[in-house]
Amino acid sequence: MWQGRDALIVAITGDLDVDNVVPLDTILSEAAEGGISPVVVDLSAATFADSTTVNVLLQAHTALGPALRLASPSAVLERLFTITGLDTVLPLFASVTEALEAEPSAPLGTDGGDRED
């Protein structure tokens, strides 16, 4: 985890499941309560996510709104988001840099919103 003056970056490694997603939930909840913006979750090294993780991310999205930005989803998570349709709901960005540079109201999508549906 890295926190600067204007952003919080949380790097996830390994599996995210019911047994170990609580720290992420805590960090995201505290960020929402503290008004930190943006909050970037780097998912490039995540190897697995279960429904508990999806729930945590959806709750964080509700609490943080456009301040929550998911960056660099690993192939496994990108597939999960696509299959479940979460790629149209959660704010996904191709990289941490892109997530940090995005406008607060930037359209969603792994390509920064240039996607045509």
Side-chain angles (χ1 to χ4, degrees):
M1 180 172 68
W2 174 86
Q3 183 171 353
R5 297 176 76 199
D6 300 323
L8 172 66
I9 300 172
V10 181
I12 303 299
T13 59
D15 293 350
L16 283 171
D17 57 32
V18 68
D19 293 327
N20 60 17
V21 76
V22 172
L24 176 62
D25 187 28
T26 301
I27 289 168
L28 295 175
S29 295
E30 289 175 356
E33 290 172 11
I36 297 171
S37 180
V39 177
V40 177
V41 181
D42 179 355
L43 298 168
S44 61
T47 55
F48 175 81
D50 68 0
S51 60
T52 307
T53 304
V54 169
N55 188 42
V56 165
L57 294 174
L58 287 172
Q59 287 179 357
H61 178 59
T62 299
L64 289 161
L68 176 67
R69 300 163 187 192
L70 307 179
S72 304
S74 65
V76 171
L77 266 63
E78 189 170 348
R79 180 169 164 76
L80 171 68
F81 295 152
T82 301
I83 289 172
T84 60
L86 291 172
D87 61 336
T88 63
V89 176
L90 295 173
L92 302 173
F93 295 88
S95 69
V96 170
T97 301
E98 183 180 305
L100 287 170
E101 293 175 351
E103 293 298 320
S105 61
L108 307 182
T110 55
D111 59 0
D114 295 331
R115 223 171 41 177
E116 291 184 27
D117 291 321

